[in-house]
Amino acid sequence: MKNLLLSCLALLAVGTTQAQKIKSAGYPIDPVPFTSVKVTDAFWGQRLKASREVTIPLAFSKCEETGRYMNFVNATRPSDTIKVGGYSFDDTDVYKTIEGASYLLQTYPDAKLKKYIDSVLTIVAAAQEPDGYLYTSRTMNPKHPHEWAGSKRWEKVEDLSHEFYNLGHMVEGAIAHYQATGKKNFLNIAIKYADCVCREIGEGNGKVVRVPGHQIAEMALAKLYLVTGDKKYLDQAKFFLDKRGYTSRKDEYSQAHKPVLQQDEAVGHAVRAAYMYAGMADVAALTGDKGYIDAIDRIWDNIVTKKLYITGGIGATSNGEAFGKNYELPNMSAYCETCAAIGNVYVNYRLFLLHGESKYYDVLERTLYNGLISGVSLDGGGFFYPNPLESIGQHQRQPWFGCACCPSNICRFIPSLPGYIYAVKGSDVYVNLFMSNTSNMKVNGKAVQIEQQTAYPWNGDINIKVAKNAAGQFAMKIRIPGWVKNQVVPSNLYTYSDDIRPSYSMKVNGEEMKADLNNGYFTIDRKWKAGDVVAVHFDMEARTVKASNKVEADRGRVAVERGPIVYCAEWCDNDYDVLSALVNQSPKFTVVEKKDLLCGINQLVTDAQTLKFEGGKLVAKDVKLTLIPYYAWCHRGSGKMAVWLPQDLSACRAQMPPTLASKSKIEASHKASSITAINDRLVPKDEFDRSMPYYHWWPKQASTEWISYELPTAETISQATVYWFDDAPWGGCRVPKYWKIYYDENGQWKEVKGADNYGTEKGVGNTVHFTPVKTKKVKLEVRLPDDNAAGVFEWEVK
């Protein structure tokens, strides 16, 4: 990496940019920035260490390996012979990784890392055009830019060019870098590009009206306003939102189906949506515009009452990586993109700064401890793109992705965590998250140092010490989490189904405190002296949760959580099929501390039963069911996992006896891990069901493909049934043009005779009967449509 940077730098001659005057503005509540908080926590310290030692170095190496840096170098010497490949948003991986590295510099000062970042920024600055435009996908070859870029600036910015998206991540990274280092070399680059956009986008002579195709510029420009005090950036953010739904783009996928102020439901691509909602919250908070306040409140209410997973994940479907319909929350096919979880944190954080209510941090904490950190392995080197709530082994974390938005987003989010713990408003100090740390903040302009010591999330005891205090009297507002108040989420989407009623206590220097909660906070208002300690205790017991009956996927099932942690059953802790487990009606849980397992966890163990067919009869067996934190699943190999566990017989999936197909060895023309879906005995309930695992040949088209079974022994077969996967109208799979069944005879494939019907109907089993043959191998041959691929849920043979 170093050699590449040195060679790149040798190609460049870069001037200096005039430093910008930094001013300040604010939200109704002021966050205590990451630069003022040092995390010393065991739980989060492990995550920060993994980020510092593995994730961010990996991301920087990938920026080199995949040509991200070279894109900037090529942009300094444009040529119509340069082939522009990759994605039009590849520049953002550099910005996001620098952002994450900048956050880490506060917790782990590193002179070599600072120098390395500066060398990267030298390359980035050199690629910037004189008027501030910085988009390597065009600049490196203006005559033949990236296929998504359009023939001129902004032409396809509402579609796929991502010019404004690149700006947004640049600004976010530049601000983090400035705050961490005090240096303006990255900030000046971002300001220059932002100024270019402000000059060229808008209403008036010489300008064009455009809105971002992929949102994030809105929230980034609002943040740039906070850093610089220049209101034009806030105005530009509001312009992007005001004009959405009024330009040529009008679709739910991009949240442009109606003007922003008229929206009341979370729809479309979940990451784009979350970034837009965060930008709306920024504009609402920073302008006081009641229309924006009302709109973002309506959308938030729709999410937490109808579209939020118990893990805090959002985005139910892979079709468009999007929100589903109200209460559409499937488990195995849940998309719950890691980037969307990060976006959900951004939205709720901003709504807290706007409204000052603890319910937003309840959602934030749930997302943080579950659906967000599940997206990165404990060692920091593996990543989930989707985060499903059930698996049969088809899911594995990957070391990287060609579309690397999730790994690079993890790079920037985990190190930013210290900035989410505290906030201040006047003489009020909000304690929002619980982890060991030392923080230095200003209360009414006077210095206050607060320290936390805790083993949270494994127990509910937190000591909050006022280490230094020059502010005299102030109000410490300690969030009482929703799970302590017997509220799973701030709605009736999920409710606790047991009879446990947790309590909490607050003591100052051993003296018990009493107070009514205000907006979910326990307030202790006093003249604090150095050394004062608040001892917080939250009862923390394992709880069972039921979903609203409107959530079809979770009917008759319970989830289990303890404190902020959602649990799951995984194959490697249970010597039976965890998907066939039936939870007792009134389960009791034992907490088992496992310091050496998965970086230290608490397991939960309870009595349960399994149901399976033996000799044609349904047999129940008593078992011990062991649960682990959901975020830690899939670290010990791929296998079955479930968050929602059957408690009613109607929801139980008894372990079926083996079939010819399930006992067979699978081969295919296109090998993929999802091939295991075709003989898992899980079939769709109708043509619209996407919740079952499937295998597909996308992106192949108009080709002949095949799957074969090798049976354990030669068997006589006379029929085959196929359930086709077809994700029309948005996806790329359709039922095949035709298909055939072949069998092996003496090493030669022969087509079966007497086939009565090769059906291609969606949502049902298409059964073909044929003249019986005795064979050890059978093949399904499929002719793909001319302009689509095809897929299979299940292939049965008898």
Side-chain angles (χ1 to χ4, degrees):
M1 188 187 307
K2 183 178 178 182
N3 290 336
L4 173 68
L5 284 172
L6 289 174
S7 62
C8 292
L9 289 166
L11 297 169
L12 309 173
V14 185
T16 58
T17 307
Q18 180 67 35
Q20 304 292 319
K21 185 177 180 181
I22 305 301
K23 302 179 182 179
S24 63
Y27 293 85
I29 297 174
D30 293 322
V32 174
F34 73 95
T35 52
S36 299
V37 183
K38 183 176 179 64
V39 170
T40 57
D41 192 70
F43 183 90
W44 287 107
Q46 184 273 324
R47 289 286 183 165
L48 289 166
K49 184 173 184 287
S51 185
R52 173 172 64 100
E53 294 181 355
V54 178
T55 312
I56 286 177
L58 173 65
F60 276 134
S61 71
K62 289 295 182 180
C63 286
E64 174 186 355
E65 178 186 316
T66 59
R68 262 66 163 174
Y69 292 152
M70 189 54 66
N71 287 344
F72 289 96
V73 175
N74 286 339
T76 69
R77 47 182 190 184
S79 169
D80 58 11
T81 63
I82 294 173
K83 179 174 174 56
V84 184
Y87 290 99
S88 60
F89 46 82
D90 281 349
D91 293 355
T92 67
D93 293 332
V94 177
Y95 307 147
K96 286 184 279 187
T97 307
I98 291 175
E99 181 180 353
S102 298
Y103 291 129
L104 274 180
L105 286 173
Q106 180 61 27
T107 306
Y108 304 102
D110 187 331
K112 288 184 178 179
L113 179 59
K114 282 186 179 181
K115 186 175 181 181
Y116 175 79
I117 292 172
D118 283 344
S119 67
V120 175
L121 290 174
T122 300
I123 297 170
V124 172
Q128 191 162 35
E129 297 187 21
D131 66 351
Y133 185 74
L134 181 44
Y135 178 64
T136 66
S137 289
R138 182 185 313 282
T139 305
M140 71 174 85
N141 187 345
K143 290 184 178 179
H144 308 288
H146 193 282
E147 61 181 332
W148 292 354
S151 62
K152 57 185 178 181
R153 291 183 185 182
W154 328 125
E155 183 179 73
K156 292 189 176 181
V157 75
E158 295 186 0
D159 188 13
L160 289 171
S161 79
H162 288 81
E163 286 153 291
F164 295 158
Y165 177 78
N166 287 13
L167 167 68
H169 276 299
M170 179 195 295
V171 169
E172 293 269 328
I175 291 172
H177 180 259
Y178 166 72
Q179 291 174 330
T181 66
K183 299 175 71 172
K184 300 175 185 174
N185 48 339
F186 195 8
L187 185 64
N188 288 340
I189 297 169
I191 287 173
K192 197 173 177 183
Y193 189 16
D195 288 347
C196 171
V197 170
C198 290
R199 283 194 307 271
E200 297 190 12
I201 305 299
E203 294 178 312
N205 292 335
K207 293 188 174 186
V208 294
V209 176
R210 298 285 189 275
V211 299
H214 193 312
Q215 302 92 316
I216 195 177
E218 301 88 342
M219 56 189 278
L221 288 167
K223 189 180 288 188
L224 188 59
Y225 158 67
L226 290 174
V227 170
T228 65
D230 192 333
K231 191 170 177 292
K232 73 182 177 186
Y233 303 125
L234 179 60
D235 292 341
Q236 190 68 42
K238 189 172 184 296
F239 174 85
F240 281 151
L241 292 167
D242 286 344
K243 292 300 178 183
R244 198 164 203 88
Y246 290 103
T247 66
S248 59
R249 179 126 200 204
K250 293 180 173 68
D251 61 307
E252 283 194 352
Y253 174 83
S254 65
Q255 299 76 42
H257 56 300
K258 61 173 72 172
V260 166
L261 293 183
Q262 297 176 23
Q263 295 187 27
D264 56 9
E265 181 181 358
V267 298
H269 190 277
V271 180
R272 296 172 185 236
Y275 287 172
M276 186 182 87
Y277 302 152
M280 290 173 66
D282 283 331
V283 168
L286 298 174
T287 66
D289 188 313
K290 190 174 185 304
Y292 274 96
I293 295 172
D294 291 345
I296 189 57
D297 286 348
R298 289 193 305 269
I299 293 168
W300 181 86
D301 185 70
N302 174 253
I303 293 173
V304 298
T305 61
K306 299 176 178 67
K307 298 193 177 186
L308 180 71
Y309 278 91
I310 194 170
T311 57
I314 54 175
T317 174
S318 61
N319 290 337
E321 302 175 325
F323 286 100
K325 300 174 184 176
N326 289 337
Y327 304 105
E328 182 186 353
L329 296 166
N331 292 312
M332 195 177 301
S333 65
Y335 203 69
C336 292
E337 186 179 337
T338 301
C339 288
I342 292 172
N344 199 25
V345 167
Y346 291 156
V347 173
N348 283 279
Y349 177 58
R350 284 159 168 79
L351 286 172
F352 161 74
L353 296 176
L354 173 61
H355 292 304
E357 297 180 48
S358 69
K359 64 183 181 180
Y360 302 111
Y361 257 91
D362 290 344
V363 177
L364 187 156
E365 181 182 66
R366 177 169 294 277
T367 306
L368 180 64
Y369 279 93
N370 300 290
L372 193 157
I373 58 173
S374 62
V376 59
S377 62
L378 291 163
D379 65 6
F383 308 91
F384 274 142
Y385 206 104
N387 292 270
L389 280 73
E390 187 173 318
S391 180
I392 58 169
Q394 73 272 44
H395 303 96
Q396 302 89 28
R397 289 184 182 85
Q398 301 297 321
W400 203 253
F401 301 98
C403 175
C405 59
C406 290
S408 55
N409 237 352
I410 283 288
C411 277
R412 76 188 187 110
F413 180 80
I414 296 294
S416 75
L417 180 67
Y420 289 87
I421 302 172
Y422 301 101
V424 174
K425 181 180 182 180
S427 60
D428 293 339
V429 175
Y430 292 86
V431 182
N432 284 316
L433 293 177
F434 307 107
M435 63 188 73
S436 297
N437 71 85
T438 298
S439 62
N440 292 282
M441 61 191 75
K442 296 289 186 180
V443 180
N444 286 327
K446 302 293 181 64
V448 173
Q449 185 181 85
I450 290 178
E451 298 174 356
Q452 276 193 56
Q453 289 294 326
T454 182
Y456 198 88
W458 307 125
N459 70 46
D461 295 317
I462 306 111
N463 283 340
I464 304 171
K465 179 181 178 180
V466 178
K468 298 178 183 178
N469 179 26
Q473 183 165 341
F474 63 86
M476 186 181 297
K477 303 176 78 68
I478 301 168
R479 181 177 66 91
I480 308 301
W483 57 264
V484 178
K485 296 179 292 186
N486 218 44
Q487 187 178 51
V488 184
V489 295
S491 73
N492 62 0
L493 183 59
Y494 304 108
T495 55
Y496 290 112
S497 59
D498 51 43
D499 295 325
I500 298 171
R501 294 295 179 267
S503 63
Y504 64 91
S505 65
M506 300 278 173
K507 295 180 180 179
V508 177
N509 302 330
E511 180 183 350
E512 189 161 353
M513 300 284 107
K514 299 292 183 183
D516 294 331
L517 298 188
N518 181 19
N519 287 333
Y521 289 89
F522 188 103
T523 303
I524 306 173
D525 192 347
R526 59 182 278 146
K527 189 172 183 178
W528 300 89
K529 62 180 184 297
D532 283 347
V533 175
V534 181
V536 181
H537 171 77
F538 300 139
D539 286 349
M540 188 179 283
E541 298 187 54
R543 309 291 305 274
T544 54
V545 178
K546 283 193 173 182
S548 164
N549 200 49
K550 295 178 181 179
V551 182
E552 182 182 357
D554 300 336
R555 288 176 191 159
R557 298 174 180 267
V558 293
V560 180
E561 57 184 50
R562 183 174 181 269
I565 302 291
V566 174
Y567 279 73
C568 69
E570 192 177 20
W571 67 277
C572 38
D573 301 303
N574 303 279
D575 60 356
Y576 51 86
D577 182 354
V578 296
L579 299 184
S580 70
L582 183 67
V583 177
N584 290 351
Q585 292 298 300
S586 298
K588 305 297 180 185
F589 298 90
T590 301
V591 179
V592 181
E593 188 175 0
K594 293 281 189 176
K595 292 184 178 180
D596 297 326
L597 179 63
L598 299 168
C599 296
I601 62 168
N602 283 350
Q603 290 181 332
L604 298 178
V605 180
T606 188
D607 292 326
Q609 292 180 306
T610 59
L611 299 180
K612 64 184 297 185
F613 285 96
E614 290 183 356
K617 295 181 179 180
L618 185 62
V619 177
K621 179 183 177 182
D622 291 334
V623 295
K624 291 290 185 182
L625 177 64
T626 299
L627 308 175
I628 65 165
Y630 167 75
Y631 71 75
W633 82 282
C634 206
H635 279 89
R636 295 167 290 173
S638 298
K640 293 182 179 180
M641 179 279 296
V643 170
W644 288 97
L645 305 167
Q647 192 175 45
D648 297 344
L649 281 172
S650 61
C652 192
R653 185 189 304 155
Q655 185 176 349
M656 301 296 290
T659 65
L660 280 179
S662 69
K663 293 187 293 183
S664 297
K665 178 183 176 182
I666 308 172
E667 293 291 343
S669 58
H670 171 65
K671 293 190 176 181
S673 60
S674 60
I675 194 70
T676 57
I678 69 166
N679 66 347
D680 61 11
R681 291 163 288 179
L682 301 177
V683 299
K685 67 177 184 294
D686 56 40
E687 64 182 293
F688 304 107
D689 186 6
R690 303 284 186 271
S691 64
M692 294 296 105
Y694 57 87
Y695 165 83
H696 61 77
W697 287 282
W698 189 87
K700 295 185 177 183
Q701 301 176 358
S703 60
T704 300
E705 306 295 335
W706 58 267
I707 308 169
S708 70
Y709 283 151
E710 181 178 346
L711 312 179
T713 60
E715 301 281 354
T716 299
I717 61 172
S718 60
Q719 71 177 64
T721 301
V722 182
Y723 291 81
W724 299 111
F725 173 74
D726 182 321
D727 56 0
W730 307 113
C733 290
R734 302 293 184 271
V735 295
K737 291 183 73 172
Y738 57 84
W739 58 288
K740 296 178 180 180
I741 296 292
Y742 291 79
Y743 69 99
D744 176 75
E745 184 177 86
N746 300 322
Q748 298 292 321
W749 288 112
K750 292 190 174 182
E751 185 178 349
V752 297
K753 297 179 180 179
D756 59 0
N757 181 36
Y758 285 114
T760 55
E761 187 176 351
K762 295 169 56 175
V764 299
N766 294 271
T767 300
V768 58
H769 299 87
F770 46 82
T771 303
V773 295
K774 187 169 185 177
T775 185
K776 194 177 178 182
K777 292 184 179 180
V778 60
K779 181 172 73 171
L780 168 67
E781 187 177 272
V782 176
R783 180 64 183 181
L784 303 187
D786 293 339
D787 52 0
N788 281 284
V792 176
F793 280 110
E794 194 76 6
W795 173 31
E796 302 168 351
V797 293
K798 293 183 181 180

